[in-house]
Amino acid sequence: MSELISLQDIHFAYPGGAPVLCGLDLTLSAGERLSIGGHNGAGKSTLLHILVGLLRPSRGRVVAFGAERAEEKDFYEVRRRAGLVFQDPDDQLFCPTVAEDVAFGPLNLGKSRQEAMAIVEEVLARLDLAAYRDRITHKLSGGEKRLVTLAAVLAMEPDVLLLDEPTNALDIDNKVRLTEILLSLPQAMILVSHDHGFRNDIATRTLMLVEGRLTERPPRCVAGRSPAAPAA
Ligand SMILES: Nc1ncnc2c1ncn2[C@@H]1O[C@H](COP(=O)(O)OP(=O)(O)OP(=O)(O)O)[C@@H](O)[C@H]1O
Ligand SMILES: [Mg+2]
């Protein structure tokens, strides 16, 4: 399988803060749907932000789409090819209407207005959001905003999807719909989620972020027994 993204020995701390990532390694290959779990504050969102160059590690290498990425200009291509759905939709949506928010990416990539609007119609229809086309973005509910952020990222036809808590605020019907949509997509993805059921439905591989590094998911405890205990 060809490697799309790799992080090597990444170290990171926010200014004046304790270390968040301490020698973290990660590889994402074509066709993989990698899920990352870990407790609140473990550094999952930080990791995604480092991947697209919104934060810079103090040590380590970011390699994406065949090249090492270190400076701001190196990350332009990464942000175009790796679509990040932010944990908080309000960090992502900034246009007056849904259609304009979804059109923003394609227009920015050089599509004509007509081409961009055709993409908007197609993506909104795919996510069952056609009725939201002319709604005022900041007046949408939390779950509606979450779906619009996904539409805005899919509209850019990225090679990789980076999804930070994509089921936040979604009702059960929309969670099922999101699961179907993600499973139907050809793109490799990194999925950060606290939702075990969702992770199990989607992921081809699961890692946990613990003490600043990624580790294989620990085996599930059987009730009343530690994972290492022999079977009765
Ligand atoms: N801008 C910031 N400035 C200082 N510290 C920050 C900043 N953003 C995050 N942190 C801290 O860095 C650590 C990692 O945060 P991060 O948001 O990456 O965690 P997370 O694993 O995504 O958590 P959650 O599951 O709650 O979304 C936390 O201790 C958090 O308080
Ligand atoms: Mg987070």
Side-chain angles (χ1 to χ4, degrees), residues 41 43-46 87 164-165 192 194:
K44 304 178 299 295
S45 298
T46 302
Q87 183 164 1
D164 198 348
E165 301 291 353
V192 165
H194 291 290

Side-chain angles (χ1 to χ4, degrees), residues 177-223:
R177 181 149 183 74
L178 177 66
T179 303
E180 287 168 0
I181 289 164
L182 294 182
L183 288 174
S184 75
L185 294 173
Q187 283 101 330
M189 57 188 81
I190 298 178
L191 171 75
V192 165
S193 177
H194 291 290
D195 186 329
H196 294 254
F198 180 71
R199 285 197 328 229
N200 289 342
D201 286 344
I202 304 273
T204 55
R205 186 160 67 105
T206 295
L207 297 172
M208 302 299 288
L209 183 44
V210 182
E211 294 175 353
R213 290 166 179 234
L214 288 168
T215 108
E216 294 292 324
R217 184 165 59 160
R220 281 221 190 98
C221 284
V222 178

